[in-house]
Amino acid sequence: MTLSFLLLAAIAILGAAAAMNLKSAVHCVLALTLGMVGLAALYLQLGAQFVGLTQLLVYVGAVAILAVFAIMLTRSRTGETVAHGSASSRISGALTALLVFAVLAWAIFTGVSPQPLSGAQPEASVREVGVALMQRFVLPLEIIGVLLTAALVGAGVLAIEEKGGDR
Amino acid sequence: MSPLSGYLLLSALLFSLGLSGALTRRNAILVLIGIELMLNAANLNFIAFWRYGPHPEMLTGVMFVIFSIGIAAAEAAVGLSIIVAAYRHFRTTDLDKINFLKG
Amino acid sequence: MPEMVDQIFVLLKHWIMGYVPGSLQPLCSAILSVLPILVVFPLLFAITTVLERKGLGRMQNRYGPNRAGPWGILQPAADGIKSLTKEDIVPRSADQLVHLLAPVLIVIASFLVYSVVPVGRNMVVADLNAGVLFFFAIGSMVELAVFMAGWSSRSKYSLLGAMRAIAQMISYEMPMVLSGVVAIMAAGSLSTVTIVNMQAGYTGIWPHWYLFTPWGITGYILFMIAATAESNRCPFDLPEGESEIIAGYFIEYSGFKFALFFVAEYLGMMATSAMAITLFLGGWAAPFSFLTWIPSWFWFFAKLIFMLMIFIWIRGTLPRLRMDQLMNFGWKFMLPLSLINIVCAGLWHYLPAGFTRWSVISLLLLLSCFLLSRSLRRSKWFQERTYRFAS
């Protein structure tokens, strides 16, 4: 429990909580981005430099921008603010989430680690990550390449405006 | 409390926050944001277990997170384009109002 | 003696660190590394603004600023005082918090990227394992800041400008990263320091810069075009488009916040130039082996100013593109060519060294460049436009 962990965890929780509770959709996306930056910093703190920077690149540079573009494209006439669901659905949703958290926390506190935790800071240099990607994980890498290409084409096809269709 | 359980607790909290957002929000984009948050909470678990686990030199946790980020990006792109397409049809992104099987 | 002058700043830091008590050493070391960045690059920004305005003036047959100080060199100081003392106006309907955060975020992101740029031998703030990735990851924060600025102002002009800027930056970020990949492939590392060290050798008097290979020069040119678009400079300055949307995403900013956007734009331009220097122009390495006695930091800043001159020259020369031309050029020319360039860099690695390798790769690149540009010219977007109501 170092100070840096507490600080970064506070940033991540603050961002996530704000993203789930703010009224304006754009504010939610910006808050989510703050949370993602906090998570990326946590990855860096844990020694996973490549993953942390990838997280920053993908979530701040791509997903947040995509989300705000989608919000801009789907603005309702009343503005960007969005209401929550009805009171009953809000309460039941919050209760479910609380229950899930309680179960997870109970599991974390009562669970016992089979081996002693390793204390040494492991190194995940870019070279090692690259070698692993090209040797042991080459098949998943290719599959994810195909998946991303399919997603690119699919997203384009879905979002493109049909010319002759009835609106 | 060991450092590992701190990370796990944070991850559980983020997961529950994402779940609550996905369950209570009515705007489709915000539901998608909640799902992204849940995915990221799982990623934090992988990294924490890689850091404190028995075989960090195998890089399994790191690899899993890299692929997971890739899938999350694909999911966000396709999900948001579906929302935009649905908006074009229904003129709303309110999930309660998008309730026809036949458009 | 040349080594002494070369390392003078490093030695100075070590000398100061000798007087610092042990507990304060990490903090003090960080401050001593960061402070020069925070001083030198804004100073360079001030010099660049004068250079740009004087240079553009000369190109357009006028004088440029010549009132403040001798030959107008105190113009940036006058501009700074003016923007500091101006009233800070925030639109009433604006989103106050986001409106305030946008200029702060854009300046922070613009400064952060300098932490991985090696400005001289042993002179880098952080030698990150994934330095180039860090550069692009932080650089992508600028897009979000631009959106925040445009959206929070609640003005149609600023929103349009922000949307244009983001669409342009996303379209040109991909060719930029992909054209930088060839240097990473050749060096076998994402660390900026390693990439520069790989280019610091000489054959005879000629340096081992990646610029002097067919894929290197293609990558460099693509990188510079993309960098021009990334920093919203002419001929890609549609997001600002004075004649259409007045000033783009920062139209509703005034006073010092406006100045911050201006600073960030120039800092971003210098940062991408610095990255181009690191990836293709050998960073701090001297251009000829007999010039190595000149200190490394001098060469870095000489190259940087040279690159800024090119930017100014381009701005004075080329007219603004249309939006569809911009998008077509980015997606149908830059992106395919940078992908082909990566394949060529891979082939280069496996072909035997010598004249054949040179000619084969150059031919491949020239051919693909020719074919791509021909298909662009054939498409209706680049043909001369006829106007129905104006003859």
Side-chain angles (χ1 to χ4, degrees):
Chain A
M1 282 312 104
T2 55
L3 185 67
S4 62
F5 167 73
L6 290 177
L7 206 66
L8 295 175
I11 291 175
I13 291 169
L14 188 76
M20 293 305 120
N21 289 302
L22 287 175
K23 276 241 161 58
S24 158
V26 174
H27 282 169
C28 292
V29 174
L30 293 179
L32 178 86
T33 316
L34 178 72
M36 292 304 168
V37 171
L39 270 178
L42 276 171
Y43 294 166
L44 293 181
Q45 187 217 19
L46 282 169
Q49 202 177 72
F50 186 80
V51 176
L53 293 176
T54 311
Q55 166 99 355
L56 212 58
L57 190 65
V58 169
Y59 277 96
V60 179
V63 172
I65 300 289
L66 260 179
V68 294
F69 255 89
I71 291 168
M72 291 291 123
L73 286 175
T74 60
R75 267 201 294 192
S76 55
R77 233 170 257 112
T78 51
E80 296 124 26
T81 52
V82 279
H84 281 273
S86 61
S88 64
S89 83
R90 285 190 69 175
I91 291 169
S92 60
L95 271 180
T96 315
L98 204 67
L99 207 68
V100 168
F101 177 68
V103 171
L104 286 173
W106 173 77
I108 290 164
F109 280 119
T110 54
V112 217
S113 168
Q115 302 111 321
L117 299 175
S118 78
Q121 176 87 41
E123 193 64 41
S125 71
V126 178
R127 178 171 292 276
E128 284 168 35
V129 171
V131 167
L133 272 178
M134 282 296 148
Q135 287 174 356
R136 283 178 52 226
F137 294 92
V138 71
L139 187 64
L141 184 73
E142 294 300 324
I143 292 172
I144 207 140
V146 173
L147 173 80
L148 282 172
T149 315
L152 180 73
V153 176
V157 168
L158 277 172
I160 208 160
E161 199 137 7
E162 298 153 51
K163 281 274 159 58
D166 51 340
R167 302 267 322 262
Chain B
M1 199 159 80
S2 68
L4 177 61
S5 45
Y7 286 102
L8 297 186
L9 207 61
L10 172 64
S11 155
L13 189 57
L14 290 178
F15 185 87
S16 325
L17 276 170
L19 184 65
S20 77
L23 288 178
T24 58
R25 287 306 180 107
R26 287 193 309 172
N27 185 322
I29 294 171
L30 297 180
V31 172
L32 200 69
I33 284 177
I35 293 169
E36 288 286 334
L37 194 59
M38 283 151 76
L39 253 166
N40 274 278
N43 286 355
L44 180 62
N45 258 357
F46 280 115
I47 293 284
F49 276 123
W50 164 77
R51 164 71 177 81
Y52 294 104
H55 292 294
E57 73 282 352
M58 296 294 277
L59 292 174
T60 318
V62 172
M63 287 299 141
F64 208 107
V65 174
I66 289 174
F67 293 128
S68 160
I69 289 177
I71 289 172
E75 178 229 311
V78 175
L80 289 170
S81 59
I82 288 175
I83 292 168
V84 170
Y87 171 78
R88 207 171 280 139
H89 204 89
F90 292 100
R91 292 277 134 202
T92 180
T93 51
D94 193 330
L95 286 174
D96 291 347
K97 291 188 186 130
I98 305 177
N99 51 7
F100 305 118
L101 277 179
K102 185 168 175 292
Chain C
M1 191 58 197
E3 287 84 47
M4 177 86 173
V5 180
D6 187 24
Q7 297 295 302
I8 184 160
F9 297 112
V10 181
L11 293 174
L12 196 67
K13 185 183 164 186
H14 282 297
W15 178 71
I16 296 175
M17 291 296 284
Y19 292 97
V20 175
S23 58
L24 287 176
Q25 285 229 339
L27 182 71
C28 196
S29 167
I31 290 173
L32 282 177
S33 302
V34 172
L35 212 58
I37 297 277
L38 291 182
V39 172
V40 168
F41 284 99
L43 207 65
L44 199 61
F45 153 71
I47 295 169
T48 315
T49 51
V50 184
L51 267 181
E52 170 151 34
R53 295 173 68 175
K54 298 290 271 189
L56 277 182
R58 290 291 161 185
M59 283 176 206
Q60 296 160 354
N61 247 346
R62 57 188 173 84
Y63 284 115
N66 60 357
R67 282 293 169 266
W71 308 293
I73 53 169
L74 290 180
Q75 187 65 35
D79 282 343
I81 292 167
K82 186 187 86 173
S83 65
L84 266 175
T85 50
K86 260 180 145 179
E87 187 189 357
D88 178 32
I89 303 166
V90 180
R92 193 185 294 156
S93 60
D95 196 308
Q96 306 288 333
L97 183 67
V98 181
H99 194 265
L100 173 71
L101 281 179
V104 177
L105 182 65
I106 202 166
V107 167
I108 289 176
S110 304
F111 269 116
L112 266 180
V113 291
Y114 287 103
S115 55
V116 292
V117 174
V119 295
R121 192 178 279 129
N122 304 331
M123 283 161 73
V124 61
V125 176
D127 178 14
L128 288 185
N129 217 321
V132 182
L133 189 64
F134 176 86
F135 182 87
F136 290 121
I138 300 292
S140 67
M141 257 188 206
V142 172
E143 284 156 33
L144 202 68
V146 164
F147 170 78
M148 284 162 71
W151 174 78
S152 67
S153 301
R154 296 286 154 88
S155 150
K156 63 186 170 204
Y157 294 123
S158 66
L159 190 61
L160 277 175
M163 285 307 174
R164 278 188 184 189
I166 293 168
Q168 174 180 329
M169 284 164 122
I170 285 186
S171 309
Y172 280 80
E173 189 159 358
M174 255 184 285
M176 185 162 153
V177 175
L178 287 175
S179 56
V181 162
V182 289
I184 297 165
M185 277 164 71
S189 171
L190 274 172
S191 154
T192 46
V193 175
T194 316
I195 290 173
V196 173
N197 284 338
M198 293 289 286
Q199 301 179 65
Y202 297 91
T203 321
I205 61 164
W206 301 104
H208 289 168
W209 297 358
Y210 294 141
L211 183 71
F212 301 127
T213 50
W215 48 266
I217 190 144
T218 316
Y220 173 72
I221 293 170
L222 287 174
F223 193 93
M224 285 319 290
I225 295 174
T228 321
E230 278 290 290
S231 49
N232 297 338
R233 297 267 309 176
C234 251
F236 301 105
D237 62 345
L238 289 105
E240 281 155 42
E242 293 89 344
S243 50
E244 304 139 33
I245 47 173
I246 307 172
Y249 51 88
F250 49 80
I251 177 174
E252 298 292 350
Y253 284 89
S254 61
F256 198 60
K257 287 183 196 159
F258 180 83
L260 284 183
F261 279 103
F262 202 61
V263 172
E265 186 188 325
Y266 276 79
L267 283 178
M269 183 174 94
M270 287 194 279
T272 40
S273 308
M275 195 32 91
I277 291 168
T278 306
L279 290 177
F280 297 105
L281 291 181
W284 41 257
F288 299 105
S289 61
F290 52 83
L291 286 177
T292 41
W293 56 274
I294 298 176
S296 55
W297 39 269
F298 171 81
W299 283 119
F300 177 82
F301 284 103
K303 286 172 192 174
L304 190 56
I305 289 180
F306 174 71
M307 302 275 285
L308 295 176
M309 292 293 190
I310 294 181
F311 270 117
I312 294 168
W313 182 23
I314 288 173
R315 181 173 171 185
T317 309
L318 293 174
R320 185 183 300 149
L321 268 74
R322 264 195 338 254
M323 195 70 193
D324 55 332
Q325 288 173 338
L326 175 98
M327 286 295 161
N328 274 303
F329 185 66
W331 289 103
K332 294 187 181 165
F333 183 81
M334 300 272 291
L335 191 64
L337 192 60
S338 53
L339 286 171
I340 292 167
N341 196 27
I342 290 176
V343 175
C344 286
L347 274 179
W348 172 274
H349 186 74
Y350 288 107
L351 288 175
F355 179 71
T356 2
R357 175 164 86 161
W358 256 91
S359 43
V360 166
I361 301 291
S362 312
L363 214 66
L364 261 176
L365 282 169
L366 281 176
L367 189 73
S368 48
C369 187
F370 171 72
L371 287 176
L372 282 171
S373 57
R374 205 176 63 155
S375 68
L376 255 192
R377 215 174 310 133
R378 272 215 187 136
S379 69
K380 60 180 180 179
W381 304 109
F382 269 81
Q383 283 169 1
E384 207 173 319
R385 185 179 258 195
T386 51
Y387 295 94
R388 210 186 313 170
F389 300 113
S391 53

